[in-house]
Amino acid sequence: MNVSDSEMIKEILIENNDEVTENIDEADVLLFNTCSVRQHAEDRVLGRISNEASRKSKKRNLKIGVIGCMAQRLGDDLHKINKNIDFVIGVDQYKNLPKIIHKKRVKDFTETTVNNSEVYENIYPIHSGKFNAFVTIMRGCDNFCTYCIVPYTRGRERSRNSEEIIKEVELAASKGFKDVTLLGQNVNSYKYEDVDFAELLKQVNEIDSIKRLRFVTSHPKDLSDSVIKVMGESEKICEHLHLPMQSGNTDILKRMNRGYSYEHYRGIITKLRNKMPDIAITTDIIVGFPGETEEQFNDTYNAMKEIEFDYAFTFKYSPREGTIAAKYTDQIPEEIRLERLQKLIKLQEEITLKKYRSKIGTIQELYVEKVSKKSDKELAGRTRDFKITVFEGSQNLIGKFVKVKIVDAVGWTLKGKLIE
Ligand code: SAH
Ligand code: SF4
């Protein structure tokens, strides 16, 4: 979401005749787009701001701005945390950025007014990925999972006009993008007038030169049968779904306010696999949520064994000030959270390798993205189910679709042999 927001912000600035530079030495303004989802993300960006602030001694007019969820969450306090920060701009105020960065003096400036109807219409971002375009279809979140800061920083859920979304995808297609990812905190609850998410998927699927279509993030409580049906029927929708489970224990899920049981989650996986036998499923898991007992953790461990995700993003619970779970008195000690995390990572590594190995001997379509990092004779691309695959081939294949036969799986990379 932040990558996508940064692309949009670049477009806002460029329209105002500002220039974006990849060379930090040239910059007159540094913008830090920040994430608040875990404390670790906030600590890292504060460290980064401190490092870059030393540039002010060489360039007196250099301005430093903080944007994104941390700006929204901390507002004025950020000026106290680091005196080198000139301005703090919240997530609904990006249209004011050009005006603010051109102020003669912007010291200790903060603008974090909430605007729950801002969807940044009529801004068509310059997608920075070469082959995949991220298209935001909705902003905010109303789910209030008890651990999560997002509804507080990003505000109320609102969907963009579907015609605007289609226009943005068509524009990306006309610039040569063939792979599109629709973005939102909970894409399954997309609704604009009479267009719901299933209908939006159908409409994007119709756009001629788009060859691959993905979407994140899906919420298990809202992933409807009609979306599963469209996924099965639309040739462009890739056989890959990211479906955060968070926990394999229903009591913990209830305490997280997730709105589904483990059995419901398991049922969705069965439906998906029945419709799309080759579908890759990835997930997010939180360990050490307040009150999580050893048995409840084991339920998550066993659920991961049972379901066999292709990949899992596993996180230690991080208390976020202002959320309900941060107030629970039964917080889990750091050592136990870490121990549980390590157990899950180890288990998932084994499962991921098994999943990748099961692809050996199959024929896969790749969208070739680049020369491989390890060898310039090899190219790297992604399968429809999102697995990075390397194969020997000439560089003129970059940007093309090819067929390869999978011959090996090393770590999280498949090796293929070009056949077409
Ligand atoms: N809207 C998406 C993603 C939100 S944030 C969804 O509902 O899935 C991405 C992931 O960060 C979440 O899925 C969750 O696993 C993790 N996360 C969110 N808040 C967290 C916290 N306080 N501590 C640890 N992980 C957290
Ligand atoms: Fe956070 Fe839950 Fe909303 Fe995802 S659905 S952004 S985890 S509150």
Side-chain angles (χ1 to χ4, degrees), residues 37-38 147 185 217 244 246 258 284 286 315-316 318 320:
V37 89
R38 283 169 293 275
Y147 51 80
Q185 295 299 343
T217 303
Q246 312 300 1
R258 288 290 287 177
D284 291 347
I286 299 177
F315 306 110
K316 269 186 303 174
S318 168
R320 311 309 297 133

Side-chain angles (χ1 to χ4, degrees), residues 103-154:
K103 274 179 188 266
K104 250 206 158 58
R105 232 182 94 77
V106 275
K107 196 70 200 115
D108 292 340
F109 183 87
T110 305
E111 174 54 285
T112 52
T113 309
V114 171
N115 176 355
N116 280 323
S117 58
E118 181 59 273
V119 285
Y120 295 106
E121 231 45 292
N122 306 315
I123 299 165
Y124 302 102
I126 324 149
H127 303 293
S128 50
K130 276 201 188 129
F131 305 108
N132 180 297
F134 291 137
V135 175
T136 297
I137 64 166
M138 61 203 295
R139 303 185 74 84
C141 182
D142 285 348
N143 286 309
F144 288 93
C145 301
T146 54
Y147 51 80
C148 186
I149 195 74
V150 172
Y152 303 91
T153 56
R154 294 250 169 195

